[in-house]
Amino acid sequence: MANANTVGTVRCSLEAVGLREEYYHLLDLLVQRVNYVVAHAFQFARFIFVAEMSRRRTSFNPVLLITENFFREVFCWLTNRAEHQTMPRTAQWRSLLRKHWCSYRRWTGVVVQIFNALSHIAKYAAVQMATAYLNNVSLHFGEKLRSAVNRLLDTKARKAALVRRMASQSQREICCACETQIWGPAHLIKEAAFTQSPNPPRLNDAGQAILQRLRPILRAYPEGYQFADSSLFLDAVIHPENHFWAYFRLSQLFERDWRQFEYFPQRKKWRPANMAVTTNILWSELLAGVPGRFGETALDTWGRVLNTASKPFRGRQFDFEEVVHTDAVGIS
């Protein structure tokens, strides 16, 4: 809901908005089917990325695929979408999807779903997927990278050993020793590896060995790539799509030496996530395209399914924007 200057959201149950009894099952079925396709779209995208990026020599560039348009193609590939003549880039994407489709379908047994409002549903699903991929890198890449450096330096064990050796000395002396022997060298390694300084710090042999372990991650960037403000961590937040290769290489380092983490976002919840329902989706999927009376407005169309005179629709200085998000239990 929105007015001229403000956008707001009202969250309530389906009963509160007066959902007609005959549409409960249809809405629940729609949400379940969309969630099924979105979950497989996440898995299919992951299947493609892992297969292509695991090759030693490949021209595959994932940066070009972390877009809403690509994820829309992935979603539509799992549905009844008919193929038409497209732009060259879309044709390349479909060729890539076709290359891996048979293997993925054989391993998962995915069932193609049929939607009447496919383009509208795919649009919102693609936004969710692209956002999940970008947020996964921007929120976790820097954290995992720092964790990798600390693990390589074994900072926790070294600090514990240092504290035991200096147990008879003052806390101030222990802190100074930790800074000199542990945190200072760790900071120099991070500065040498993750900042583009014209005068990089000089490292000892141990630091050079750790830097060598991080080379596969640092080589994941194109030659001459400049980090924002010369900082890898800042650039990962501003331009997460450019760090997807490096994040994948980092995950390989963790997989080989430590506990593996989930570097590709997945839809794993047993309960369906919210899906967007617009007027077009409502009319095509729930109302089965049955036309209303002559001159019917969009609000009238919603009134055939919901009680637009119920409390969530009134009592506030907002106008209904003709879109809701629901998981077939609550609605907003």
Side-chain angles (χ1 to χ4, degrees):
M1 296 184 177
N3 60 21
N5 301 312
T6 307
V7 176
T9 301
V10 178
R11 181 70 179 175
C12 59
S13 65
L14 292 175
E15 291 81 0
V17 294
L19 179 67
R20 315 297 181 193
E21 187 69 29
E22 61 269 26
Y23 294 111
Y24 269 95
H25 176 69
L26 292 175
L27 179 61
D28 181 66
L29 186 61
L30 175 63
V31 171
Q32 294 284 353
R33 292 196 299 121
V34 170
N35 188 75
Y36 175 84
V37 176
V38 171
H40 273 286
F42 271 110
Q43 292 184 16
F44 189 28
R46 181 183 186 275
F47 186 86
I48 293 172
F49 284 132
V50 171
E52 294 291 334
M53 296 172 71
S54 297
R55 298 179 178 179
R56 292 185 177 274
R57 297 180 181 179
T58 178
S59 58
F60 180 76
N61 186 1
V63 175
L64 301 178
L65 304 184
I66 311 299
T67 64
E68 293 177 13
N69 290 333
F70 173 72
F71 289 120
R72 186 184 297 119
E73 288 297 320
V74 175
F75 183 93
C76 291
W77 199 266
L78 299 161
T79 65
N80 57 310
R81 193 269 314 274
E83 291 194 41
H84 303 286
Q85 188 173 3
T86 60
M87 300 295 290
R89 173 165 292 184
T90 305
Q92 292 178 0
W93 291 343
R94 292 182 180 178
S95 176
L96 179 65
L97 295 171
R98 191 178 297 109
K99 174 182 176 182
H100 296 281
W101 172 241
C102 291
S103 297
Y104 178 79
R105 191 171 188 177
R106 182 173 63 252
W107 282 104
T108 62
V110 59
V111 178
V112 171
Q113 300 294 308
I114 299 175
F115 296 105
N116 297 323
L118 176 59
S119 60
H120 298 279
I121 296 174
K123 175 184 176 181
Y124 285 95
V127 171
Q128 289 181 348
M129 294 180 67
T131 302
Y133 267 80
L134 295 177
N135 286 348
N136 188 45
V137 177
S138 63
L139 294 177
H140 302 299
F141 179 47
E143 172 194 349
K144 294 297 183 182
L145 200 52
R146 291 186 180 94
S147 175
V149 174
N150 291 335
R151 287 170 182 264
L152 290 171
L153 288 168
D154 199 14
T155 53
K156 288 185 178 180
R158 291 173 60 197
K159 179 183 177 182
L162 183 62
V163 170
R164 285 196 300 269
R165 290 199 307 269
M166 301 180 65
S168 60
Q169 301 185 36
S170 67
Q171 187 66 30
R172 182 182 181 86
E173 291 175 322
I174 294 175
C175 290
C176 290
C178 287
E179 180 64 31
T180 303
Q181 301 178 33
I182 300 175
W183 309 127
H187 177 74
L188 291 178
I189 292 173
K190 293 176 183 178
E191 182 180 353
F194 308 132
T195 60
Q196 294 172 327
S197 173
N199 299 309
R202 302 183 64 177
L203 304 176
N204 55 24
D205 292 342
Q208 290 291 348
I210 292 175
L211 194 61
Q212 190 63 31
R213 295 284 302 277
L214 298 172
R215 289 296 181 194
I217 300 171
L218 302 177
R219 289 172 182 162
Y221 299 97
E223 186 176 354
Y225 181 78
Q226 295 293 318
F227 299 138
D229 201 21
S230 299
S231 171
L232 182 151
F233 299 107
L234 178 61
D235 195 72
V237 175
I238 299 175
H239 305 292
E241 66 279 1
N242 296 333
H243 298 264
F244 196 71
W245 256 119
Y247 197 30
F248 180 72
R249 297 302 180 204
L250 177 62
S251 71
Q252 291 181 318
L253 177 63
F254 269 80
E255 183 178 1
R256 184 172 58 251
D257 297 333
W258 308 301
R259 183 178 179 181
Q260 186 180 9
F261 62 88
E262 188 64 65
Y263 48 91
F264 289 112
Q266 297 291 300
R267 176 71 64 83
K268 295 181 178 180
K269 296 180 180 179
W270 65 268
R271 177 181 174 182
N274 283 334
M275 66 163 289
V277 180
T278 63
T279 304
N280 284 299
I281 296 174
L282 179 81
W283 184 77
S284 300
E285 298 292 342
L286 297 187
L287 297 175
V290 177
R293 64 180 183 275
F294 179 76
E296 181 178 86
T297 64
L299 189 60
D300 293 331
T301 302
W302 281 95
R304 294 162 61 186
V305 178
L306 306 176
N307 180 11
T308 54
S310 59
K311 185 176 179 180
F313 287 92
R314 57 182 172 80
R316 295 176 175 83
Q317 300 300 318
F318 290 100
D319 297 323
F320 179 46
E321 287 291 285
E322 300 168 11
V323 59
V324 300
H325 292 80
T326 179
D327 58 358
V329 177
I331 189 171
S332 58

